[in-house]
Amino acid sequence: MTDTRESGTRSRTRRAILAAAASVLARDRGATLAAIASAAQIGRSTLHRYFSDRQDLVNAAVVDSFRVVEQSTAEAAIDQGPPLEAMRRLIAALVDAGDRLAFLFGDPRVLEEFTDCFEPDLSVPTTVGLIERGQAEGVFDPGVSAEWIQQVLWALTYTGWEAAEKGLLPRHGVAAAVTRAFESGMVVSPAHS
Amino acid sequence: MTDTRESGTRSRTRRAILAAAASVLARDRGATLAAIASAAQIGRSTLHRYFSDRQDLVNAAVVDSFRVVEQSTAEAAIDQGPPLEAMRRLIAALVDAGDRLAFLFGDPRVLEEFTDCFEPDLSVPTTVGLIERGQAEGVFDPGVSAEWIQQVLWALTYTGWEAAEKGLLPRHGVAAAVTRAFESGMVVSPAHS
DNA sequence: TGAAAATGAGACACCTAAGTCCCATTATGG
DNA sequence: CCATAATGGGACTTAGGTGTCTCATTTTCA
């Protein structure tokens, strides 16, 4: 699966670059390659040795971030247990991968360009799958599409990450705030006008 | 308040530029000035006659978008009537101003740079004011800060706009979907684990 | 320890967007 | 109808990021 032909050093450097790219680009999409290299604590020349193009780097960062988020999702075991609890685990996992999610979610066009040429790993349970399971069990709102619920999930998670970034929320309270917002919204009493 | 020293023609052109800038930049932050000028159906030279700098244009677009959103907020009369219904009017208004809101909300750094040097118009009722009023009346969740609720409001509205952009939601259903998500979240039954 | 791998710093040319003028043309308004 | 405002298109320069290359230095590993 992972490249066995790549030396340990190179592999480590590559990871550092991809992580830095996601982190920096999440906060500033127009960030310079020099800025990314600096964040990764490497020289700009070295960056070019790993990724010829800027586009090449962005592509790789997207794929890698996908992989990381997918990994987090997988570790949340969202295909097991009650959907509601699975969702809570998923939210916690997504918040932990905040940088990567912010990078993927932050730019509307990044995702679009890749949803086409991406064949999802079928061995990994999907977020939409969890949502549909929850809808079937009557836990998640069946009145809207699963994709919309997924969008809301990502948006809330991203917002929580951003709020923590700017100090609006404490780091340790993000997952709880997002979960609360996702599950019951912002209105206290059942409000039927 | 508005420039009376500016001719009708210039005023109209200026508005067109600002609207185009918000619309284009909302969808692509790195968009060229030529692209913005093209979207405004004017020449690039003309754009430079109105805004010397790119930064100048962006600043003006932010200020203008603020004004438009503020205007929409004001027309929603959010300081009158039950908070819940006021919020529904506000959401509808924000969705209508989707372009501008997406532009303001889309870039985390745009807002930060301006919150400092911005003195809010005190004659206009504020969103946070509405939220705090609702919290005081026990309608909105008093367990979290008003600012966080505002962030969630904006995030959901933005997500609704974006979903409509990519065809995930029908245009006429955005306000309803956002309102529903804001008020009751995505979970059907009252879920107390 | 010695060879190979990996890196950093810098020099360099290139390209694109940005910003500045200029001039001919069109639209506006008294 | 005419003076003037407003515009569009194009030429031009500038600035900054990008991509390529070289060479000296450091690190890794057998």
Side-chain angles (χ1 to χ4, degrees):
Chain A
M1 181 180 298
T2 51
D3 276 358
T4 55
R5 67 186 173 218
E6 197 170 48
S7 96
T9 306
R10 280 190 73 84
S11 175
R12 235 175 303 118
T13 303
R14 178 180 295 272
R15 289 172 187 276
I17 295 176
L18 290 175
S23 174
V24 170
L25 292 177
R27 291 167 180 80
D28 177 12
R29 295 177 199 179
T32 301
L33 292 187
I36 296 174
S38 169
Q41 293 181 311
I42 61 166
R44 196 169 67 93
S45 336
T46 303
L47 194 156
H48 277 289
R49 283 194 188 90
Y50 286 78
F51 305 98
S52 62
D53 240 270
R54 178 190 180 92
Q55 193 58 38
D56 190 24
L57 171 62
V58 173
N59 289 0
V62 170
V63 172
D64 180 64
S65 293
F66 250 118
R67 201 188 51 78
V68 171
V69 171
E70 206 172 42
Q71 178 79 13
S72 301
T73 303
E75 286 172 359
I78 59 175
D79 55 341
Q80 292 170 14
L84 191 58
E85 295 178 13
M87 179 60 78
R88 288 173 181 173
R89 291 196 300 272
L90 176 58
I91 289 177
L94 289 179
V95 168
D96 283 343
D99 266 16
R100 316 307 264 264
L101 192 102
F103 166 58
L104 290 176
F105 185 79
D107 193 341
R109 308 185 319 161
V110 168
L111 228 40
E112 291 176 16
E113 294 175 12
F114 284 83
T115 34
D116 304 329
C117 57
F118 242 129
E119 81 290 357
D121 187 344
L122 295 181
S123 67
V124 175
T126 206
T127 300
V128 170
L130 164 62
I131 295 173
E132 287 173 344
R133 185 162 66 94
Q135 285 178 313
E137 294 186 18
V139 179
F140 299 144
D141 189 344
V144 295
S145 72
E147 284 75 20
W148 166 245
I149 294 182
Q150 186 182 40
Q151 290 296 317
V152 170
L153 169 68
W154 287 346
L156 290 176
T157 306
Y158 172 81
T159 304
W161 174 84
E162 195 184 1
E165 276 293 302
K166 61 175 69 165
L168 201 64
L169 281 181
R171 286 276 171 202
H172 61 273
V174 172
V178 171
T179 302
R180 190 182 180 93
F182 179 84
E183 291 183 359
S184 26
M186 311 312 268
V187 170
V188 172
S189 59
H192 295 291
S193 70
Chain B
M1 180 180 299
T2 51
D3 277 0
T4 56
R5 68 187 172 217
E6 196 169 48
S7 97
T9 305
R10 278 191 73 85
S11 174
R12 235 176 303 118
T13 303
R14 179 179 295 272
R15 289 172 187 276
I17 294 175
L18 290 174
S23 174
V24 170
L25 291 176
R27 293 167 177 80
D28 177 13
R29 294 175 198 178
T32 302
L33 293 186
I36 296 174
S38 168
Q41 293 182 311
I42 61 165
R44 197 169 65 93
S45 338
T46 304
L47 194 156
H48 277 288
R49 283 194 188 91
Y50 286 79
F51 305 98
S52 60
D53 241 87
R54 179 191 179 91
Q55 193 58 38
D56 190 24
L57 171 61
V58 173
N59 289 0
V62 170
V63 171
D64 181 65
S65 293
F66 251 119
R67 201 189 51 76
V68 170
V69 171
E70 207 172 42
Q71 178 79 11
S72 301
T73 303
E75 287 172 358
I78 59 176
D79 55 341
Q80 292 171 12
L84 192 58
E85 294 179 13
M87 179 58 79
R88 288 173 181 174
R89 291 196 301 272
L90 175 59
I91 289 177
L94 290 179
V95 168
D96 283 343
D99 267 15
R100 316 307 265 262
L101 192 102
F103 167 59
L104 290 176
F105 186 79
D107 193 342
R109 309 186 317 159
V110 168
L111 229 38
E112 291 176 18
E113 294 174 12
F114 284 82
T115 34
D116 305 329
C117 57
F118 242 127
E119 81 290 357
D121 187 345
L122 294 181
S123 67
V124 175
T126 205
T127 301
V128 170
L130 165 62
I131 294 172
E132 287 172 344
R133 184 162 67 93
Q135 286 178 313
E137 295 186 19
V139 179
F140 298 144
D141 189 344
V144 295
S145 72
E147 285 74 20
W148 166 245
I149 294 183
Q150 187 182 40
Q151 290 297 317
V152 170
L153 169 67
W154 286 347
L156 289 177
T157 306
Y158 172 79
T159 304
W161 175 84
E162 196 184 2
E165 275 294 302
K166 62 175 70 166
L168 202 63
L169 281 180
R171 286 275 171 202
H172 61 274
V174 172
V178 172
T179 302
R180 189 183 181 93
F182 179 84
E183 291 184 0
S184 23
M186 311 312 261
V187 170
V188 173
S189 61
H192 295 292
S193 69

